[in-house]
Amino acid sequence: MFLALRELRFAKVRFGLMGAVVGLIAVLMVMLSGLSVGLVRDGVSGLQNLPVTSFAFERDVQHDSAFSRSVVDMSAVDAWRSRPGVQQAAPYGNTLVNTKSDRGVDVDLALFGVAPDSFLSPEVGEGSRLRDADGVVVSATALDAGLRVGDTITVARLGTRLRVVGATPRQDTFGHVDVGYVPLRTWQLIKAGAAPGDPVPAHATREITAVAVRAKPGASVDLAAGDAAAGTESLTLEDSYGASPGYSAETSTLQLIQVFLYAISALVVGAFFAVWAIQRKHEVAVLRAMGASRGWLLRDALTQAFLLLVAAVAIGAGIGVGLGSLITGGGMPFALSAPSVTAAAAGLVLLGLAGAGAAVARIASIDPATALGGNR
């Protein structure tokens, strides 16, 4: 008799209001997922784009600030190159600086010190690749901030001048700061605080932030054994994201908000169908008296909830994607991702069904005689 479909047509306003609430939650979930993806890209896209599988930092370094605290001797690079399963190992430097271009544009940069002939040297979408000692290849987003290929930038307090020779074809940021790739030797001088013409400390040319390790395709590297041989402490590429400034706090905060939204969605849908189950008690009792099984009644009620949730979430997600497309590319770190939007929508539907299922389970215990007034 398809009671669920008949009720959806009969109580359009009631189900429409409930669908609007679920749709608004879906809009918020899509916006949060876009903000989450955007923050991750803005925080660690520079690391994500590096062709490495792990970083070997200074032993016993704090993991949440490894890129700013770690100091590793260059000898560790050779130790890692000889490890089984390692395809390539190269020195890597990381430091944050303030710069100003010759056209008066202030730009903060996360300087990545790399050997120009190593696998860490970036591809360029504009200009030329990294070669000269005074060259720098910047993130494509730095061009949006006002830099141009051919500009000369000056590092604050040191006076070191760098020429923007190229830009990567994508966003490369670290800690919400645009990345600038410079030759390792130049990075070591900047890291040591040596201004042009100043004497260079002997240790400066031996120190790096970490050893970037790239495993052979299909091979696994014994990080513990490598650390024991090189005197380092390794983190996989994914684990190293937590060392980016603010990354862990931002992602955990957004994840907590999303968890609460999922819980709210399940509670709202469950409360609605709990009230609805009470109001339709007599109709359900008639069906029970006519021979409908408990399983059929539960499937009927869950089908009703499923149709409502799918329609509301689809409309809400569509609105959220539309709003997100207007924000993408602006100053806010926002990026829409099909997998994250799909996961958010599916999560809302599944948890809504769980809430509805818990609410309508009481249908299975309805006694036809009692519901129809047979006890009077």
PDB file of all heavy atoms in Angstrom, residues 261-298:
ATOM      1  N   LEU A 261      28.130  18.348  13.948  1.00  0.00           N
ATOM      2  CA  LEU A 261      27.083  18.531  12.943  1.00  0.00           C
ATOM      3  C   LEU A 261      26.450  17.196  12.551  1.00  0.00           C
ATOM      4  O   LEU A 261      25.233  17.099  12.379  1.00  0.00           O
ATOM      5  CB  LEU A 261      27.651  19.217  11.710  1.00  0.00           C
ATOM      6  CG  LEU A 261      27.699  20.744  11.756  1.00  0.00           C
ATOM      7  CD1 LEU A 261      28.347  21.285  10.494  1.00  0.00           C
ATOM      8  CD2 LEU A 261      26.295  21.313  11.887  1.00  0.00           C
ATOM      9  N   TYR A 262      27.268  16.162  12.414  1.00  0.00           N
ATOM     10  CA  TYR A 262      26.719  14.833  12.123  1.00  0.00           C
ATOM     11  C   TYR A 262      25.794  14.380  13.252  1.00  0.00           C
ATOM     12  O   TYR A 262      24.708  13.839  13.007  1.00  0.00           O
ATOM     13  CB  TYR A 262      27.849  13.817  11.944  1.00  0.00           C
ATOM     14  CG  TYR A 262      28.548  13.891  10.615  1.00  0.00           C
ATOM     15  CD1 TYR A 262      29.934  14.010  10.539  1.00  0.00           C
ATOM     16  CD2 TYR A 262      27.838  13.825   9.425  1.00  0.00           C
ATOM     17  CE1 TYR A 262      30.587  14.067   9.318  1.00  0.00           C
ATOM     18  CE2 TYR A 262      28.484  13.882   8.198  1.00  0.00           C
ATOM     19  CZ  TYR A 262      29.862  14.003   8.156  1.00  0.00           C
ATOM     20  OH  TYR A 262      30.500  14.060   6.941  1.00  0.00           O
ATOM     21  N   ALA A 263      26.239  14.593  14.490  1.00  0.00           N
ATOM     22  CA  ALA A 263      25.418  14.192  15.636  1.00  0.00           C
ATOM     23  C   ALA A 263      24.114  14.981  15.674  1.00  0.00           C
ATOM     24  O   ALA A 263      23.036  14.419  15.933  1.00  0.00           O
ATOM     25  CB  ALA A 263      26.204  14.388  16.930  1.00  0.00           C
ATOM     26  N   ILE A 264      24.199  16.289  15.412  1.00  0.00           N
ATOM     27  CA  ILE A 264      22.990  17.121  15.400  1.00  0.00           C
ATOM     28  C   ILE A 264      22.033  16.647  14.320  1.00  0.00           C
ATOM     29  O   ILE A 264      20.817  16.569  14.533  1.00  0.00           O
ATOM     30  CB  ILE A 264      23.377  18.602  15.190  1.00  0.00           C
ATOM     31  CG1 ILE A 264      24.077  19.143  16.446  1.00  0.00           C
ATOM     32  CG2 ILE A 264      22.141  19.447  14.870  1.00  0.00           C
ATOM     33  CD1 ILE A 264      24.696  20.515  16.241  1.00  0.00           C
ATOM     34  N   SER A 265      22.572  16.314  13.143  1.00  0.00           N
ATOM     35  CA  SER A 265      21.728  15.831  12.060  1.00  0.00           C
ATOM     36  C   SER A 265      20.991  14.560  12.460  1.00  0.00           C
ATOM     37  O   SER A 265      19.782  14.428  12.229  1.00  0.00           O
ATOM     38  CB  SER A 265      22.578  15.569  10.811  1.00  0.00           C
ATOM     39  OG  SER A 265      21.800  15.009   9.778  1.00  0.00           O
ATOM     40  N   ALA A 266      21.703  13.616  13.058  1.00  0.00           N
ATOM     41  CA  ALA A 266      21.065  12.366  13.480  1.00  0.00           C
ATOM     42  C   ALA A 266      19.995  12.620  14.531  1.00  0.00           C
ATOM     43  O   ALA A 266      18.909  12.025  14.490  1.00  0.00           O
ATOM     44  CB  ALA A 266      22.127  11.404  14.015  1.00  0.00           C
ATOM     45  N   LEU A 267      20.270  13.526  15.477  1.00  0.00           N
ATOM     46  CA  LEU A 267      19.295  13.815  16.532  1.00  0.00           C
ATOM     47  C   LEU A 267      18.063  14.522  15.973  1.00  0.00           C
ATOM     48  O   LEU A 267      16.923  14.219  16.358  1.00  0.00           O
ATOM     49  CB  LEU A 267      19.949  14.667  17.623  1.00  0.00           C
ATOM     50  CG  LEU A 267      20.970  13.957  18.511  1.00  0.00           C
ATOM     51  CD1 LEU A 267      21.664  14.952  19.427  1.00  0.00           C
ATOM     52  CD2 LEU A 267      20.297  12.865  19.333  1.00  0.00           C
ATOM     53  N   VAL A 268      18.264  15.482  15.068  1.00  0.00           N
ATOM     54  CA  VAL A 268      17.137  16.215  14.497  1.00  0.00           C
ATOM     55  C   VAL A 268      16.229  15.279  13.693  1.00  0.00           C
ATOM     56  O   VAL A 268      15.003  15.280  13.853  1.00  0.00           O
ATOM     57  CB  VAL A 268      17.645  17.372  13.607  1.00  0.00           C
ATOM     58  CG1 VAL A 268      16.516  17.957  12.776  1.00  0.00           C
ATOM     59  CG2 VAL A 268      18.262  18.462  14.468  1.00  0.00           C
ATOM     60  N   VAL A 269      16.851  14.465  12.834  1.00  0.00           N
ATOM     61  CA  VAL A 269      16.065  13.530  12.032  1.00  0.00           C
ATOM     62  C   VAL A 269      15.379  12.505  12.934  1.00  0.00           C
ATOM     63  O   VAL A 269      14.200  12.167  12.736  1.00  0.00           O
ATOM     64  CB  VAL A 269      16.965  12.836  10.988  1.00  0.00           C
ATOM     65  CG1 VAL A 269      16.180  11.754  10.249  1.00  0.00           C
ATOM     66  CG2 VAL A 269      17.519  13.855  10.007  1.00  0.00           C
ATOM     67  N   GLY A 270      16.105  12.003  13.932  1.00  0.00           N
ATOM     68  CA  GLY A 270      15.515  11.033  14.848  1.00  0.00           C
ATOM     69  C   GLY A 270      14.342  11.604  15.618  1.00  0.00           C
ATOM     70  O   GLY A 270      13.310  10.930  15.795  1.00  0.00           O
ATOM     71  N   ALA A 271      14.472  12.851  16.072  1.00  0.00           N
ATOM     72  CA  ALA A 271      13.373  13.482  16.819  1.00  0.00           C
ATOM     73  C   ALA A 271      12.149  13.666  15.937  1.00  0.00           C
ATOM     74  O   ALA A 271      11.014  13.435  16.365  1.00  0.00           O
ATOM     75  CB  ALA A 271      13.838  14.823  17.382  1.00  0.00           C
ATOM     76  N   PHE A 272      12.366  14.080  14.694  1.00  0.00           N
ATOM     77  CA  PHE A 272      11.242  14.277  13.779  1.00  0.00           C
ATOM     78  C   PHE A 272      10.485  12.972  13.557  1.00  0.00           C
ATOM     79  O   PHE A 272       9.239  12.920  13.649  1.00  0.00           O
ATOM     80  CB  PHE A 272      11.747  14.828  12.450  1.00  0.00           C
ATOM     81  CG  PHE A 272      10.694  14.892  11.381  1.00  0.00           C
ATOM     82  CD1 PHE A 272       9.790  15.937  11.347  1.00  0.00           C
ATOM     83  CD2 PHE A 272      10.606  13.908  10.408  1.00  0.00           C
ATOM     84  CE1 PHE A 272       8.805  16.001  10.371  1.00  0.00           C
ATOM     85  CE2 PHE A 272       9.628  13.960   9.424  1.00  0.00           C
ATOM     86  CZ  PHE A 272       8.728  15.016   9.407  1.00  0.00           C
ATOM     87  N   PHE A 273      11.217  11.912  13.262  1.00  0.00           N
ATOM     88  CA  PHE A 273      10.537  10.649  12.979  1.00  0.00           C
ATOM     89  C   PHE A 273       9.983   9.991  14.237  1.00  0.00           C
ATOM     90  O   PHE A 273       9.046   9.195  14.148  1.00  0.00           O
ATOM     91  CB  PHE A 273      11.482   9.707  12.235  1.00  0.00           C
ATOM     92  CG  PHE A 273      11.579  10.009  10.772  1.00  0.00           C
ATOM     93  CD1 PHE A 273      12.649  10.733  10.262  1.00  0.00           C
ATOM     94  CD2 PHE A 273      10.585   9.610   9.898  1.00  0.00           C
ATOM     95  CE1 PHE A 273      12.734  11.033   8.917  1.00  0.00           C
ATOM     96  CE2 PHE A 273      10.656   9.902   8.548  1.00  0.00           C
ATOM     97  CZ  PHE A 273      11.726  10.620   8.050  1.00  0.00           C
ATOM     98  N   ALA A 274      10.534  10.325  15.402  1.00  0.00           N
ATOM     99  CA  ALA A 274       9.939   9.824  16.638  1.00  0.00           C
ATOM    100  C   ALA A 274       8.542  10.414  16.830  1.00  0.00           C
ATOM    101  O   ALA A 274       7.579   9.704  17.155  1.00  0.00           O
ATOM    102  CB  ALA A 274      10.834  10.170  17.820  1.00  0.00           C
ATOM    103  N   VAL A 275       8.422  11.735  16.624  1.00  0.00           N
ATOM    104  CA  VAL A 275       7.113  12.383  16.717  1.00  0.00           C
ATOM    105  C   VAL A 275       6.181  11.873  15.623  1.00  0.00           C
ATOM    106  O   VAL A 275       4.991  11.611  15.853  1.00  0.00           O
ATOM    107  CB  VAL A 275       7.279  13.915  16.639  1.00  0.00           C
ATOM    108  CG1 VAL A 275       5.912  14.595  16.596  1.00  0.00           C
ATOM    109  CG2 VAL A 275       8.093  14.427  17.813  1.00  0.00           C
ATOM    110  N   TRP A 276       6.737  11.717  14.426  1.00  0.00           N
ATOM    111  CA  TRP A 276       5.920  11.241  13.308  1.00  0.00           C
ATOM    112  C   TRP A 276       5.402   9.823  13.557  1.00  0.00           C
ATOM    113  O   TRP A 276       4.267   9.485  13.207  1.00  0.00           O
ATOM    114  CB  TRP A 276       6.749  11.299  12.040  1.00  0.00           C
ATOM    115  CG  TRP A 276       5.987  10.988  10.778  1.00  0.00           C
ATOM    116  CD1 TRP A 276       6.174   9.940   9.953  1.00  0.00           C
ATOM    117  CD2 TRP A 276       4.926  11.753  10.208  1.00  0.00           C
ATOM    118  NE1 TRP A 276       5.305   9.989   8.900  1.00  0.00           N
ATOM    119  CE2 TRP A 276       4.523  11.099   9.034  1.00  0.00           C
ATOM    120  CE3 TRP A 276       4.271  12.940  10.580  1.00  0.00           C
ATOM    121  CZ2 TRP A 276       3.499  11.569   8.224  1.00  0.00           C
ATOM    122  CZ3 TRP A 276       3.256  13.408   9.778  1.00  0.00           C
ATOM    123  CH2 TRP A 276       2.879  12.737   8.619  1.00  0.00           C
ATOM    124  N   ALA A 277       6.231   8.991  14.173  1.00  0.00           N
ATOM    125  CA  ALA A 277       5.809   7.617  14.469  1.00  0.00           C
ATOM    126  C   ALA A 277       4.654   7.603  15.461  1.00  0.00           C
ATOM    127  O   ALA A 277       3.733   6.778  15.356  1.00  0.00           O
ATOM    128  CB  ALA A 277       6.984   6.823  15.021  1.00  0.00           C
ATOM    129  N   ILE A 278       4.689   8.501  16.425  1.00  0.00           N
ATOM    130  CA  ILE A 278       3.593   8.576  17.398  1.00  0.00           C
ATOM    131  C   ILE A 278       2.303   9.036  16.715  1.00  0.00           C
ATOM    132  O   ILE A 278       1.212   8.496  16.954  1.00  0.00           O
ATOM    133  CB  ILE A 278       3.961   9.537  18.545  1.00  0.00           C
ATOM    134  CG1 ILE A 278       5.131   8.964  19.350  1.00  0.00           C
ATOM    135  CG2 ILE A 278       2.770   9.776  19.456  1.00  0.00           C
ATOM    136  CD1 ILE A 278       5.687   9.920  20.377  1.00  0.00           C
ATOM    137  N   GLN A 279       2.417  10.032  15.828  1.00  0.00           N
ATOM    138  CA  GLN A 279       1.235  10.583  15.174  1.00  0.00           C
ATOM    139  C   GLN A 279       0.597   9.604  14.186  1.00  0.00           C
ATOM    140  O   GLN A 279      -0.604   9.661  13.946  1.00  0.00           O
ATOM    141  CB  GLN A 279       1.602  11.883  14.459  1.00  0.00           C
ATOM    142  CG  GLN A 279       1.970  13.018  15.392  1.00  0.00           C
ATOM    143  CD  GLN A 279       2.347  14.285  14.654  1.00  0.00           C
ATOM    144  OE1 GLN A 279       2.682  14.241  13.472  1.00  0.00           O
ATOM    145  NE2 GLN A 279       2.318  15.412  15.343  1.00  0.00           N
ATOM    146  N   ARG A 280       1.392   8.710  13.621  1.00  0.00           N
ATOM    147  CA  ARG A 280       0.858   7.760  12.647  1.00  0.00           C
ATOM    148  C   ARG A 280       0.585   6.394  13.266  1.00  0.00           C
ATOM    149  O   ARG A 280       0.463   5.396  12.556  1.00  0.00           O
ATOM    150  CB  ARG A 280       1.828   7.646  11.465  1.00  0.00           C
ATOM    151  CG  ARG A 280       3.148   7.001  11.806  1.00  0.00           C
ATOM    152  CD  ARG A 280       4.240   7.377  10.827  1.00  0.00           C
ATOM    153  NE  ARG A 280       4.032   6.824   9.520  1.00  0.00           N
ATOM    154  CZ  ARG A 280       4.691   5.747   9.041  1.00  0.00           C
ATOM    155  NH1 ARG A 280       5.557   5.114   9.820  1.00  0.00           N
ATOM    156  NH2 ARG A 280       4.472   5.317   7.831  1.00  0.00           N
ATOM    157  N   LYS A 281       0.472   6.367  14.575  1.00  0.00           N
ATOM    158  CA  LYS A 281       0.301   5.097  15.280  1.00  0.00           C
ATOM    159  C   LYS A 281      -0.945   4.351  14.806  1.00  0.00           C
ATOM    160  O   LYS A 281      -0.916   3.137  14.591  1.00  0.00           O
ATOM    161  CB  LYS A 281       0.235   5.361  16.782  1.00  0.00           C
ATOM    162  CG  LYS A 281       0.040   4.108  17.619  1.00  0.00           C
ATOM    163  CD  LYS A 281       0.156   4.436  19.102  1.00  0.00           C
ATOM    164  CE  LYS A 281      -0.938   5.415  19.525  1.00  0.00           C
ATOM    165  NZ  LYS A 281      -0.917   5.630  21.005  1.00  0.00           N
ATOM    166  N   HIS A 282      -2.045   5.046  14.637  1.00  0.00           N
ATOM    167  CA  HIS A 282      -3.286   4.372  14.252  1.00  0.00           C
ATOM    168  C   HIS A 282      -3.224   3.828  12.829  1.00  0.00           C
ATOM    169  O   HIS A 282      -3.734   2.733  12.554  1.00  0.00           O
ATOM    170  CB  HIS A 282      -4.464   5.331  14.403  1.00  0.00           C
ATOM    171  CG  HIS A 282      -4.744   5.706  15.834  1.00  0.00           C
ATOM    172  ND1 HIS A 282      -5.328   4.837  16.726  1.00  0.00           N
ATOM    173  CD2 HIS A 282      -4.494   6.847  16.531  1.00  0.00           C
ATOM    174  CE1 HIS A 282      -5.437   5.422  17.910  1.00  0.00           C
ATOM    175  NE2 HIS A 282      -4.937   6.656  17.814  1.00  0.00           N
ATOM    176  N   GLU A 283      -2.596   4.585  11.914  1.00  0.00           N
ATOM    177  CA  GLU A 283      -2.456   4.094  10.550  1.00  0.00           C
ATOM    178  C   GLU A 283      -1.610   2.826  10.521  1.00  0.00           C
ATOM    179  O   GLU A 283      -1.925   1.868   9.789  1.00  0.00           O
ATOM    180  CB  GLU A 283      -1.813   5.163   9.657  1.00  0.00           C
ATOM    181  CG  GLU A 283      -2.707   6.350   9.354  1.00  0.00           C
ATOM    182  CD  GLU A 283      -2.705   7.378  10.465  1.00  0.00           C
ATOM    183  OE1 GLU A 283      -2.042   7.125  11.490  1.00  0.00           O
ATOM    184  OE2 GLU A 283      -3.366   8.415  10.312  1.00  0.00           O
ATOM    185  N   VAL A 284      -0.539   2.831  11.305  1.00  0.00           N
ATOM    186  CA  VAL A 284       0.317   1.648  11.362  1.00  0.00           C
ATOM    187  C   VAL A 284      -0.431   0.477  11.973  1.00  0.00           C
ATOM    188  O   VAL A 284      -0.289  -0.676  11.544  1.00  0.00           O
ATOM    189  CB  VAL A 284       1.601   1.973  12.164  1.00  0.00           C
ATOM    190  CG1 VAL A 284       2.416   0.704  12.391  1.00  0.00           C
ATOM    191  CG2 VAL A 284       2.430   3.007  11.435  1.00  0.00           C
ATOM    192  N   ALA A 285      -1.259   0.756  12.975  1.00  0.00           N
ATOM    193  CA  ALA A 285      -2.023  -0.312  13.601  1.00  0.00           C
ATOM    194  C   ALA A 285      -2.994  -0.953  12.621  1.00  0.00           C
ATOM    195  O   ALA A 285      -3.208  -2.170  12.630  1.00  0.00           O
ATOM    196  CB  ALA A 285      -2.776   0.239  14.804  1.00  0.00           C
ATOM    197  N   VAL A 286      -3.605  -0.130  11.760  1.00  0.00           N
ATOM    198  CA  VAL A 286      -4.504  -0.674  10.740  1.00  0.00           C
ATOM    199  C   VAL A 286      -3.748  -1.629   9.818  1.00  0.00           C
ATOM    200  O   VAL A 286      -4.224  -2.722   9.473  1.00  0.00           O
ATOM    201  CB  VAL A 286      -5.150   0.467   9.933  1.00  0.00           C
ATOM    202  CG1 VAL A 286      -5.899  -0.092   8.724  1.00  0.00           C
ATOM    203  CG2 VAL A 286      -6.086   1.274  10.807  1.00  0.00           C
ATOM    204  N   LEU A 287      -2.545  -1.217   9.405  1.00  0.00           N
ATOM    205  CA  LEU A 287      -1.739  -2.081   8.549  1.00  0.00           C
ATOM    206  C   LEU A 287      -1.362  -3.381   9.254  1.00  0.00           C
ATOM    207  O   LEU A 287      -1.361  -4.459   8.641  1.00  0.00           O
ATOM    208  CB  LEU A 287      -0.467  -1.341   8.109  1.00  0.00           C
ATOM    209  CG  LEU A 287      -0.671  -0.158   7.155  1.00  0.00           C
ATOM    210  CD1 LEU A 287       0.656   0.539   6.889  1.00  0.00           C
ATOM    211  CD2 LEU A 287      -1.279  -0.626   5.845  1.00  0.00           C
ATOM    212  N   ARG A 288      -1.031  -3.270  10.550  1.00  0.00           N
ATOM    213  CA  ARG A 288      -0.704  -4.481  11.325  1.00  0.00           C
ATOM    214  C   ARG A 288      -1.920  -5.397  11.386  1.00  0.00           C
ATOM    215  O   ARG A 288      -1.795  -6.626  11.257  1.00  0.00           O
ATOM    216  CB  ARG A 288      -0.246  -4.099  12.733  1.00  0.00           C
ATOM    217  CG  ARG A 288       1.102  -3.435  12.789  1.00  0.00           C
ATOM    218  CD  ARG A 288       2.256  -4.446  12.663  1.00  0.00           C
ATOM    219  NE  ARG A 288       2.366  -5.222  13.875  1.00  0.00           N
ATOM    220  CZ  ARG A 288       2.380  -6.548  13.917  1.00  0.00           C
ATOM    221  NH1 ARG A 288       2.241  -7.244  12.798  1.00  0.00           N
ATOM    222  NH2 ARG A 288       2.513  -7.199  15.063  1.00  0.00           N
ATOM    223  N   ALA A 289      -3.098  -4.796  11.596  1.00  0.00           N
ATOM    224  CA  ALA A 289      -4.315  -5.614  11.681  1.00  0.00           C
ATOM    225  C   ALA A 289      -4.631  -6.277  10.343  1.00  0.00           C
ATOM    226  O   ALA A 289      -5.237  -7.357  10.301  1.00  0.00           O
ATOM    227  CB  ALA A 289      -5.485  -4.737  12.116  1.00  0.00           C
ATOM    228  N   MET A 290      -4.197  -5.641   9.240  1.00  0.00           N
ATOM    229  CA  MET A 290      -4.445  -6.204   7.916  1.00  0.00           C
ATOM    230  C   MET A 290      -3.408  -7.255   7.531  1.00  0.00           C
ATOM    231  O   MET A 290      -3.481  -7.839   6.445  1.00  0.00           O
ATOM    232  CB  MET A 290      -4.450  -5.080   6.870  1.00  0.00           C
ATOM    233  CG  MET A 290      -5.609  -4.105   7.026  1.00  0.00           C
ATOM    234  SD  MET A 290      -5.476  -2.695   5.904  1.00  0.00           S
ATOM    235  CE  MET A 290      -5.580  -3.508   4.326  1.00  0.00           C
ATOM    236  N   GLY A 291      -2.433  -7.457   8.403  1.00  0.00           N
ATOM    237  CA  GLY A 291      -1.462  -8.525   8.159  1.00  0.00           C
ATOM    238  C   GLY A 291      -0.073  -8.074   7.781  1.00  0.00           C
ATOM    239  O   GLY A 291       0.782  -8.912   7.470  1.00  0.00           O
ATOM    240  N   ALA A 292       0.195  -6.758   7.797  1.00  0.00           N
ATOM    241  CA  ALA A 292       1.554  -6.289   7.479  1.00  0.00           C
ATOM    242  C   ALA A 292       2.531  -6.735   8.558  1.00  0.00           C
ATOM    243  O   ALA A 292       2.250  -6.619   9.745  1.00  0.00           O
ATOM    244  CB  ALA A 292       1.564  -4.770   7.352  1.00  0.00           C
ATOM    245  N   SER A 293       3.682  -7.244   8.126  1.00  0.00           N
ATOM    246  CA  SER A 293       4.678  -7.708   9.096  1.00  0.00           C
ATOM    247  C   SER A 293       5.438  -6.527   9.690  1.00  0.00           C
ATOM    248  O   SER A 293       5.438  -5.424   9.139  1.00  0.00           O
ATOM    249  CB  SER A 293       5.668  -8.652   8.411  1.00  0.00           C
ATOM    250  OG  SER A 293       6.437  -7.937   7.444  1.00  0.00           O
ATOM    251  N   ARG A 294       6.076  -6.790  10.807  1.00  0.00           N
ATOM    252  CA  ARG A 294       6.881  -5.738  11.440  1.00  0.00           C
ATOM    253  C   ARG A 294       8.032  -5.310  10.533  1.00  0.00           C
ATOM    254  O   ARG A 294       8.367  -4.131  10.447  1.00  0.00           O
ATOM    255  CB  ARG A 294       7.398  -6.245  12.778  1.00  0.00           C
ATOM    256  CG  ARG A 294       6.307  -6.465  13.815  1.00  0.00           C
ATOM    257  CD  ARG A 294       6.871  -7.047  15.098  1.00  0.00           C
ATOM    258  NE  ARG A 294       5.810  -7.202  16.102  1.00  0.00           N
ATOM    259  CZ  ARG A 294       6.009  -7.725  17.312  1.00  0.00           C
ATOM    260  NH1 ARG A 294       7.220  -8.147  17.660  1.00  0.00           N
ATOM    261  NH2 ARG A 294       5.004  -7.829  18.162  1.00  0.00           N
ATOM    262  N   GLY A 295       8.648  -6.277   9.885  1.00  0.00           N
ATOM    263  CA  GLY A 295       9.743  -5.941   8.971  1.00  0.00           C
ATOM    264  C   GLY A 295       9.292  -5.050   7.832  1.00  0.00           C
ATOM    265  O   GLY A 295       9.987  -4.117   7.436  1.00  0.00           O
ATOM    266  N   TRP A 296       8.101  -5.322   7.294  1.00  0.00           N
ATOM    267  CA  TRP A 296       7.577  -4.492   6.202  1.00  0.00           C
ATOM    268  C   TRP A 296       7.356  -3.068   6.691  1.00  0.00           C
ATOM    269  O   TRP A 296       7.665  -2.102   5.984  1.00  0.00           O
ATOM    270  CB  TRP A 296       6.265  -5.088   5.691  1.00  0.00           C
ATOM    271  CG  TRP A 296       5.742  -4.392   4.471  1.00  0.00           C
ATOM    272  CD1 TRP A 296       5.981  -4.711   3.172  1.00  0.00           C
ATOM    273  CD2 TRP A 296       4.906  -3.217   4.450  1.00  0.00           C
ATOM    274  NE1 TRP A 296       5.357  -3.830   2.327  1.00  0.00           N
ATOM    275  CE2 TRP A 296       4.676  -2.886   3.088  1.00  0.00           C
ATOM    276  CE3 TRP A 296       4.325  -2.421   5.435  1.00  0.00           C
ATOM    277  CZ2 TRP A 296       3.905  -1.819   2.690  1.00  0.00           C
ATOM    278  CZ3 TRP A 296       3.552  -1.338   5.045  1.00  0.00           C
ATOM    279  CH2 TRP A 296       3.346  -1.037   3.688  1.00  0.00           C
ATOM    280  N   LEU A 297       6.801  -2.914   7.906  1.00  0.00           N
ATOM    281  CA  LEU A 297       6.558  -1.579   8.451  1.00  0.00           C
ATOM    282  C   LEU A 297       7.860  -0.813   8.661  1.00  0.00           C
ATOM    283  O   LEU A 297       7.944   0.387   8.390  1.00  0.00           O
ATOM    284  CB  LEU A 297       5.792  -1.689   9.770  1.00  0.00           C
ATOM    285  CG  LEU A 297       4.344  -2.184   9.664  1.00  0.00           C
ATOM    286  CD1 LEU A 297       3.770  -2.415  11.057  1.00  0.00           C
ATOM    287  CD2 LEU A 297       3.498  -1.174   8.899  1.00  0.00           C
ATOM    288  N   LEU A 298       8.872  -1.490   9.147  1.00  0.00           N
ATOM    289  CA  LEU A 298      10.161  -0.833   9.350  1.00  0.00           C
ATOM    290  C   LEU A 298      10.771  -0.410   8.011  1.00  0.00           C
ATOM    291  O   LEU A 298      11.305   0.693   7.884  1.00  0.00           O
ATOM    292  CB  LEU A 298      11.114  -1.765  10.097  1.00  0.00           C
ATOM    293  CG  LEU A 298      10.842  -1.954  11.595  1.00  0.00           C
ATOM    294  CD1 LEU A 298      11.766  -3.020  12.166  1.00  0.00           C
ATOM    295  CD2 LEU A 298      11.035  -0.636  12.334  1.00  0.00           C
TER     296      LEU A 298
END
